[in-house]
Amino acid sequence: MPIAKIAPSMLSSDFASLAAEAHRMIKNGADWLHMDVMDGHFVPNITIGAPVIQSLRKHTNVFLDCHLMVSNPEKWVDDFAKAGASLYCFHIEATNEPEALIEQIKKAGMKVGVAVKPKTPIETVFPLVDKIDMCLVMTVEPGFGGQKFMPDCMPKVQSLRENFPKLDIEVDGGLSLDTIDTAAQAGANVIVAGTSVFKAESPKDVISTLREKVESVQSKS
Ligand code: DX5
Ligand code: ZN
């Protein structure tokens, strides 16, 4: 399984101090920053778009893992590439032409992720795996931070890991010190964590423990 990466979700940060919050997370050991983009249509919430990514990019070189919870993901590829996004992760439920979209993202110079909502069968991404860099298995219904982790999504992670040992598999939603073991054992190696990191007394300790838990599963496999 690929190396562990911990990606704090900036949705839980103070958006009014985004650059400072990003630097704080990087200083505390974050590998990636997870950027939740919502359009009020694919999900019932509105967050940030490419202009915010562009502003943040001026302050850091960190890997920006952009999670597009939007309808018509085709529409924003170029804007996000220009803004400095590192990875463009679209929802499989939001497009009828995933292969063309994957090509478009690659051409624009970004890494490609495909996300699946809790009720979407994981087999829908199997034919795409050799063309993508990461698969995001949602462990809550997308739309809001601070929701409860859904352990019933773990068989999807397991099946993905069994079939694709080298794939980056990201889990997103409700990840914390209480749920990391379940996710790591299922085979996830990219861990998104919003509430559990930002609300912690020591984000540094939470980030390092999340990483250790993934690495301990890796050392046994
Ligand atoms: C939910 C977002 C998540 C969210 C995670 O739609 O995709 O990235 O910010 O937040 P927590 O870790 O608080 O569940
Ligand atoms: Zn997310």
Side-chain angles (χ1 to χ4, degrees):
M1 134 157 78
I3 60 164
K5 289 176 264 284
I6 311 302
S9 168
M10 298 309 287
L11 186 58
S12 294
S13 74
D14 176 1
F15 276 163
S17 309
L18 192 57
E21 291 282 73
H23 288 141
R24 180 163 75 95
M25 287 302 132
I26 297 161
K27 208 174 72 200
N28 284 313
D31 300 281
W32 292 2
L33 296 181
H34 184 81
M35 307 301 295
D36 284 308
V37 178
M38 305 187 191
D39 67 350
H41 187 262
F42 183 75
V43 287
N45 195 8
I46 299 177
T47 54
I48 58 165
V52 175
I53 302 296
Q54 191 174 0
S55 297
L56 181 58
R57 179 49 87 209
K58 296 195 179 103
H59 296 268
T60 174
N61 289 323
V62 75
F63 191 96
L64 294 177
D65 165 32
C66 299
H67 177 196
L68 279 287
M69 287 162 274
V70 302
S71 303
N72 301 316
E74 295 80 9
K75 208 170 160 180
W76 310 111
V77 172
D78 291 340
D79 286 357
F80 274 76
K82 279 190 205 123
S86 309
L87 181 146
Y88 191 98
C89 182
F90 66 89
H91 268 268
I92 190 77
E93 303 86 0
T95 179
N96 291 322
E97 300 202 44
E99 305 214 3
L101 180 51
I102 290 168
E103 277 314 304
Q104 190 189 350
I105 297 167
K106 284 185 182 168
K107 263 201 191 124
M110 296 178 288
K111 295 206 180 295
V112 186
V114 177
V116 290
K117 297 208 277 184
K119 293 192 190 88
T120 304
I122 197 64
E123 290 73 22
T124 55
V125 303
F126 278 17
L128 305 171
V129 166
D130 61 340
K131 302 173 184 73
I132 65 178
D133 299 288
M134 186 187 84
C135 180
L136 193 185
V137 178
M138 289 300 302
T139 45
V140 297
E141 285 298 336
F144 300 91
Q147 302 182 74
K148 205 167 169 286
F149 176 81
M150 297 166 69
D152 43 326
C153 297
M154 290 305 99
K156 297 204 300 195
V157 174
Q158 245 159 2
S159 135
L160 204 53
R161 178 55 73 217
E162 275 161 26
N163 285 282
F164 307 101
K166 292 187 179 141
L167 180 69
D168 270 329
I169 303 178
E170 181 174 67
V171 281
D172 181 12
L175 272 300
S176 69
L177 299 182
D178 296 330
T179 56
I180 184 62
D181 285 321
T182 311
Q185 273 153 25
N189 70 297
V190 185
I191 311 298
V192 175
T195 311
S196 65
V197 167
F198 278 91
K199 298 272 181 296
E201 216 168 279
S202 168
K204 188 179 181 154
D205 290 351
V206 175
I207 290 172
S208 69
T209 307
L210 293 174
R211 186 193 315 288
E212 280 159 23
K213 299 281 191 179
V214 175
E215 284 171 354
S216 82
V217 171
Q218 285 176 328
S219 65
K220 284 178 205 125
S221 66

